[in-house]
Amino acid sequence: PNLIKALMATESSFNETAVSPNHKHRARGLLQITEETLHILNDHKGERSNYLMFIRAQDLFDPSVNICSGVRWFFRKQIIASARLGRKATWEEAIIEYKAYWKIIDAGEIPRPIKELREYYERLEGN
């Protein structure tokens, strides 16, 4: 739970009505679910073929819908990161996949939001 809270802090600063300014990859809500991700999550023949749900863009402002969708997507990103790495990805590597920071990481840099996420997480864990 604390990792998701830290992710939420870096994605939306806990603002449930947050909308990213990026028009190409518009993201909404606490965990900043993009329109592309929403489309993937709603594809009943793809990613979530074993679930019957339909989430509208405006539903992403509901914290319950956004958090459930974000956590589902986060678990999917761990699977994708694991395939990329050829081993089971750590949760931080899943976050790097979630935030699409691999190019920056591969260049030897640590993006500011990853540093902030680590700080939030440590505080939440009481370290």
Side-chain angles (χ1 to χ4, degrees):
N2 286 336
L3 188 59
I4 296 301
K5 290 176 193 173
L7 179 60
M8 200 178 304
T10 62
E11 288 291 308
S12 68
S13 299
F14 298 103
N15 178 356
E16 63 192 46
T17 61
V19 177
S20 71
N22 185 336
H23 293 287
K24 184 177 180 186
H25 298 287
R26 178 69 42 110
R28 294 176 175 84
L30 292 167
L31 288 172
Q32 291 291 278
I33 306 300
T34 65
E35 291 178 8
E36 179 183 8
T37 299
L38 182 62
H39 176 74
I40 292 167
L41 290 174
N42 279 331
D43 180 4
H44 301 292
K45 293 182 181 175
E47 165 60 22
R48 296 180 357 139
S49 60
N50 56 340
Y51 294 92
L52 182 56
M53 288 180 58
F54 178 73
I55 303 165
R56 299 168 300 169
Q58 63 263 31
D59 295 335
L60 293 174
F61 295 118
D62 177 329
S64 294
V65 172
N66 192 280
I67 292 168
C68 289
S69 298
V71 169
R72 176 68 182 103
W73 192 238
F74 182 50
F75 273 84
R76 178 65 184 152
K77 288 298 188 172
Q78 187 194 37
I79 293 167
I80 294 168
S82 296
R84 174 192 301 272
L85 298 168
R87 60 172 170 73
K88 185 170 181 172
T90 66
W91 289 114
E92 184 171 298
E93 290 165 335
I95 288 171
I96 291 166
E97 185 74 35
Y98 187 99
K99 291 178 168 287
Y101 285 151
W102 282 114
K103 286 183 182 179
I104 298 169
I105 296 290
D106 290 344
E109 298 176 40
I110 299 174
R112 182 184 46 79
I114 295 297
K115 291 176 186 176
E116 290 173 356
L117 182 129
R118 288 174 179 170
E119 291 171 12
Y120 284 123
Y121 184 68
E122 286 178 15
R123 276 192 261 157
L124 289 164
E125 289 289 299
N127 298 330

